[in-house]
Amino acid sequence: MPRSNLSAQTNFKYWERKRDEIEINELVFKLQALLPESNRRNLRRVTASEVVKEVISYIKKLSKEVDDLSGRLSEFLASTGNIDPINSDVLTNLLNTIN
């Protein structure tokens, strides 16, 4: 293979990797921005994998909160017998979409 083709291929691969690296950094920055302020303070200068781990942890926490709130709402609905049928159906459908 001629040297100029090899150089062009190497150059192309370099810029392709660079583009991917920039895209990954942008995506990690966007993920980091989704975290609450208290979590973001701890992640100012960290690796992409640390940001992803923190985001996963936060999503798990949110999921647990949704489950807990759904349970509490179900208990509340079961304990109150004076909710009219229309509102009961709306709340039941809402709970079903969450789970």
Side-chain angles (χ1 to χ4, degrees):
M1 179 176 288
R3 189 160 177 76
S4 63
N5 279 350
L6 185 59
S7 178
Q9 274 187 324
T10 303
N11 195 28
F12 177 77
K13 287 181 182 181
Y14 168 80
W15 287 111
E16 196 174 50
R17 281 193 306 271
K18 193 72 170 163
R19 183 200 65 218
D20 290 346
E21 183 181 315
I22 290 169
E23 186 178 1
I24 288 170
N25 286 338
E26 288 173 355
L27 291 170
V28 168
F29 181 76
K30 287 177 182 179
L31 276 175
Q32 194 172 7
L34 295 173
L35 294 171
E37 184 62 35
S38 60
N39 290 350
R40 282 193 306 228
R41 254 184 266 124
N42 298 331
L43 294 174
R44 293 241 188 255
R45 294 181 185 238
V46 295
T47 65
S49 66
E50 289 171 315
V51 171
V52 171
K53 286 176 188 176
E54 187 63 29
V55 169
I56 290 170
S57 173
Y58 182 59
I59 290 171
K60 286 179 180 178
K61 178 183 169 221
L62 290 176
S63 179
K64 184 180 180 322
E65 286 179 22
V66 167
D67 290 345
D68 291 346
L69 288 172
S70 294
R72 288 173 54 197
L73 184 55
S74 293
E75 289 172 8
F76 172 75
L77 291 174
S79 70
T80 57
N82 57 356
I83 295 178
D84 62 71
I86 294 173
N87 287 334
S88 177
D89 288 342
V90 169
L91 289 173
T92 301
N93 287 336
L94 177 64
L95 286 173
N96 288 335
T97 61
I98 292 172
N99 292 326

